[in-house]
Amino acid sequence: MSTVNDDLARDDALRPWLVRAGRLIADRLADARAHAEAGRTFDANQRLAELRRNLLDDMSGAGSLLSNARAAFYKQAFHAEPFDGRVHRDVLPDPAGELAARFSLIGGRNQYLDARMKLEEITGSLRGLGDVATIAGDSKPAEHWRAQFDGWQKRHTEGLTRHMHLALSDARAALTTAVSDVRVKPSVR
Protein backbone atom coordinates (compact mmCIF):
# COMPACT_ATOMS: atom_id res chain seq x y z
CA MET A 1 0.00 0.00 0.00
CA SER A 2 1.34 3.40 -1.01
CA THR A 3 1.59 6.29 1.47
CA VAL A 4 1.33 10.01 0.79
CA ASN A 5 5.09 10.38 1.25
CA ASP A 6 5.76 7.53 -1.22
CA ASP A 7 3.56 9.23 -3.81
CA LEU A 8 5.26 12.57 -3.27
CA ALA A 9 8.72 11.04 -3.52
CA ARG A 10 7.88 9.69 -6.98
CA ASP A 11 7.39 13.23 -8.29
CA ASP A 12 10.68 14.23 -9.93
CA ALA A 13 10.15 17.95 -9.30
CA LEU A 14 9.46 17.40 -5.60
CA ARG A 15 12.01 14.71 -4.83
CA PRO A 16 15.13 16.89 -4.42
CA TRP A 17 13.27 19.29 -2.15
CA LEU A 18 11.80 16.46 -0.07
CA VAL A 19 15.23 14.90 0.36
CA ARG A 20 16.81 18.22 1.39
CA ALA A 21 14.02 19.00 3.83
CA GLY A 22 14.13 15.50 5.32
CA ARG A 23 17.89 15.57 5.83
CA LEU A 24 17.87 19.07 7.28
CA ILE A 25 15.08 18.23 9.71
CA ALA A 26 16.58 14.90 10.79
CA ASP A 27 20.07 16.37 11.26
CA ARG A 28 19.04 19.50 13.17
CA LEU A 29 16.57 17.70 15.44
CA ALA A 30 19.19 15.03 16.20
CA ASP A 31 21.69 17.77 17.07
CA ALA A 32 19.15 19.62 19.23
CA ARG A 33 18.21 16.41 21.02
CA ALA A 34 21.88 15.56 21.74
CA HIS A 35 22.51 19.00 23.18
CA ALA A 36 19.33 18.97 25.27
CA GLU A 37 20.02 15.47 26.56
CA ALA A 38 23.48 16.66 27.66
CA GLY A 39 21.91 19.66 29.43
CA ARG A 40 23.12 22.23 26.88
CA THR A 41 19.84 24.08 26.37
CA PHE A 42 21.40 27.08 24.64
CA ASP A 43 23.07 24.87 22.03
CA ALA A 44 19.85 22.89 21.52
CA ASN A 45 17.94 26.12 20.92
CA GLN A 46 20.62 27.28 18.47
CA ARG A 47 20.18 24.10 16.39
CA LEU A 48 16.41 24.65 16.30
CA ALA A 49 16.87 28.32 15.34
CA GLU A 50 19.23 27.19 12.58
CA LEU A 51 16.59 24.74 11.35
CA ARG A 52 14.01 27.53 11.26
CA ARG A 53 16.36 29.83 9.33
CA ASN A 54 17.25 27.18 6.78
CA LEU A 55 13.68 25.97 6.27
CA LEU A 56 11.83 29.28 6.45
CA ASP A 57 13.66 32.48 7.29
CA ASP A 58 17.01 32.72 5.50
CA MET A 59 17.90 36.41 5.36
CA SER A 60 21.36 35.93 3.83
CA GLY A 61 20.00 36.46 0.33
CA ALA A 62 20.25 32.78 -0.54
CA GLY A 63 16.60 32.14 0.36
CA SER A 64 15.11 29.47 2.58
CA LEU A 65 14.42 25.93 1.48
CA LEU A 66 10.68 26.63 1.24
CA SER A 67 11.00 29.89 -0.69
CA ASN A 68 13.61 28.45 -3.07
CA ALA A 69 11.45 25.37 -3.71
CA ARG A 70 8.42 27.55 -4.43
CA ALA A 71 10.45 29.70 -6.86
CA ALA A 72 11.66 26.55 -8.62
CA PHE A 73 8.10 25.18 -8.86
CA TYR A 74 6.97 28.49 -10.38
CA LYS A 75 9.68 28.37 -13.05
CA GLN A 76 9.12 24.66 -13.76
CA ALA A 77 5.40 25.24 -14.19
CA PHE A 78 6.05 27.19 -17.40
CA HIS A 79 7.35 23.95 -18.88
CA ALA A 80 4.82 21.57 -17.30
CA GLU A 81 2.88 21.18 -20.54
CA PRO A 82 3.99 21.68 -24.14
CA PHE A 83 3.44 25.13 -25.64
CA ASP A 84 0.55 25.34 -28.09
CA GLY A 85 0.22 28.75 -29.78
CA ARG A 86 -3.50 28.21 -30.34
CA VAL A 87 -4.12 27.86 -26.60
CA HIS A 88 -1.23 29.48 -24.75
CA ARG A 89 0.01 33.03 -24.45
CA ASP A 90 3.75 33.43 -24.86
CA VAL A 91 4.59 34.35 -21.26
CA LEU A 92 7.73 33.56 -19.28
CA PRO A 93 8.59 33.63 -15.60
CA ASP A 94 9.36 37.10 -14.30
CA PRO A 95 10.74 38.54 -11.03
CA ALA A 96 7.34 39.77 -9.82
CA GLY A 97 5.77 36.37 -10.46
CA GLU A 98 8.64 34.63 -8.70
CA LEU A 99 8.30 36.91 -5.68
CA ALA A 100 4.58 36.17 -5.51
CA ALA A 101 5.29 32.44 -5.86
CA ARG A 102 7.77 32.56 -2.99
CA PHE A 103 5.47 34.25 -0.47
CA SER A 104 1.78 34.07 -1.48
CA LEU A 105 -0.76 32.15 0.54
CA ILE A 106 -1.27 28.58 -0.67
CA GLY A 107 -4.78 27.25 -0.27
CA GLY A 108 -5.59 30.29 1.86
CA ARG A 109 -2.85 29.44 4.35
CA ASN A 110 0.49 31.01 5.19
CA GLN A 111 2.89 28.06 4.92
CA TYR A 112 5.64 29.96 6.72
CA LEU A 113 3.46 30.76 9.72
CA ASP A 114 2.14 27.19 9.87
CA ALA A 115 5.68 25.75 9.89
CA ARG A 116 6.87 28.35 12.43
CA MET A 117 4.07 27.28 14.77
CA LYS A 118 5.12 23.65 14.37
CA LEU A 119 8.73 24.60 15.16
CA GLU A 120 7.63 26.60 18.22
CA GLU A 121 5.81 23.50 19.48
CA ILE A 122 8.93 21.39 18.88
CA THR A 123 11.15 23.92 20.66
CA GLY A 124 8.81 24.16 23.64
CA SER A 125 8.47 20.42 24.01
CA LEU A 126 12.25 19.90 23.92
CA ARG A 127 12.77 22.70 26.41
CA GLY A 128 10.17 21.12 28.70
CA LEU A 129 11.65 17.65 28.40
CA GLY A 130 15.14 18.99 29.04
CA ASP A 131 13.99 20.90 32.12
CA VAL A 132 12.18 17.88 33.57
CA ALA A 133 15.17 15.63 32.85
CA THR A 134 17.46 18.12 34.61
CA ILE A 135 15.23 18.51 37.67
CA ALA A 136 14.17 14.88 38.05
CA GLY A 137 17.17 13.24 36.40
CA ASP A 138 18.34 11.11 39.31
CA SER A 139 14.85 9.89 40.16
CA LYS A 140 14.73 7.75 36.99
CA PRO A 141 17.36 5.52 35.36
CA ALA A 142 19.34 6.89 32.43
CA GLU A 143 17.50 4.49 30.08
CA HIS A 144 14.22 6.24 30.94
CA TRP A 145 15.53 9.63 29.85
CA ARG A 146 17.16 8.19 26.75
CA ALA A 147 13.80 6.65 25.79
CA GLN A 148 12.07 9.99 26.40
CA PHE A 149 14.52 11.84 24.16
CA ASP A 150 14.32 9.05 21.55
CA GLY A 151 10.53 9.42 21.50
CA TRP A 152 10.76 13.22 21.22
CA GLN A 153 13.20 12.99 18.31
CA LYS A 154 11.23 10.33 16.42
CA ARG A 155 7.84 12.00 16.89
CA HIS A 156 8.99 15.47 15.89
CA THR A 157 11.24 14.39 13.02
CA GLU A 158 8.35 12.45 11.49
CA GLY A 159 5.81 15.20 12.16
CA LEU A 160 7.85 18.11 10.82
CA THR A 161 9.03 16.10 7.82
CA ARG A 162 5.42 15.19 6.99
CA HIS A 163 4.38 18.83 7.45
CA MET A 164 7.10 20.09 5.08
CA HIS A 165 6.41 17.36 2.51
CA LEU A 166 2.76 18.37 2.38
CA ALA A 167 3.62 22.08 2.27
CA LEU A 168 5.99 21.50 -0.66
CA SER A 169 3.46 19.33 -2.47
CA ASP A 170 0.66 21.85 -1.95
CA ALA A 171 2.89 24.68 -3.16
CA ARG A 172 3.89 22.78 -6.28
CA ALA A 173 0.29 21.90 -7.16
CA ALA A 174 -0.99 25.43 -6.53
CA LEU A 175 1.80 27.13 -8.47
CA THR A 176 1.52 24.73 -11.41
CA THR A 177 -2.22 25.41 -11.56
CA ALA A 178 -1.78 29.18 -11.27
CA VAL A 179 0.84 29.32 -14.04
CA SER A 180 -1.27 27.09 -16.25
CA ASP A 181 -4.17 29.51 -15.81
CA VAL A 182 -1.96 32.50 -16.67
CA ARG A 183 -0.62 30.80 -19.80
CA VAL A 184 -4.04 30.03 -21.29
CA LYS A 185 -5.36 32.72 -23.63
CA PRO A 186 -8.51 34.40 -22.29
CA SER A 187 -10.26 33.68 -25.60
CA VAL A 188 -9.82 29.94 -25.04
CA ARG A 189 -11.24 29.82 -21.52
Side-chain angles (χ1 to χ4, degrees):
M1 179 174 185
S2 154
T3 66
V4 171
N5 287 338
D6 292 337
D7 293 338
L8 295 177
R10 281 194 277 277
D11 185 324
D12 289 339
L14 276 174
R15 188 176 305 111
W17 299 103
L18 299 178
V19 169
R20 281 186 218 157
R23 284 184 187 147
L24 180 62
I25 291 164
D27 290 350
R28 290 302 158 269
L29 291 185
D31 290 347
R33 174 257 171 100
H35 286 299
E37 195 171 8
R40 296 187 303 269
T41 305
F42 177 80
D43 294 327
N45 289 337
Q46 289 298 103
R47 295 297 76 74
L48 294 172
E50 184 180 321
L51 174 60
R52 178 180 166 161
R53 270 191 315 276
N54 291 334
L55 278 180
L56 308 169
D57 298 333
D58 190 305
M59 299 301 198
S60 70
S64 69
L65 186 140
L66 183 58
S67 72
N68 288 341
R70 288 172 60 155
F73 299 152
Y74 166 73
K75 292 173 187 171
Q76 291 164 355
F78 283 88
H79 309 288
E81 55 190 63
F83 180 80
D84 180 343
R86 297 168 297 168
V87 176
H88 297 114
R89 296 186 298 153
D90 192 16
V91 292
L92 296 172
D94 62 37
E98 182 179 329
L99 186 63
R102 284 179 182 271
F103 299 109
S104 293
L105 299 179
I106 300 290
R109 298 200 52 92
N110 182 326
Q111 291 185 318
Y112 296 92
L113 182 59
D114 290 347
R116 281 186 195 103
M117 296 304 290
K118 191 99 174 131
L119 282 164
E120 289 300 319
E121 175 190 324
I122 290 168
T123 301
S125 68
L126 183 59
R127 195 173 296 141
L129 177 58
D131 289 349
V132 169
T134 299
I135 293 167
D138 292 339
S139 68
K140 302 276 185 187
E143 297 80 34
H144 169 80
W145 297 112
R146 192 169 16 265
Q148 294 297 312
F149 282 102
D150 285 346
W152 175 89
Q153 183 179 349
K154 182 178 189 312
R155 180 175 53 258
H156 292 295
T157 299
E158 289 173 358
L160 185 56
T161 299
R162 184 173 39 257
H163 179 87
M164 289 306 297
H165 281 196
L166 293 174
L168 290 165
S169 177
D170 289 349
R172 182 168 183 285
L175 292 166
T176 299
T177 300
V179 167
S180 180
D181 288 348
V182 166
R183 288 182 68 205
V184 173
K185 291 179 180 178
S187 61
V188 178
R189 290 185 193 159

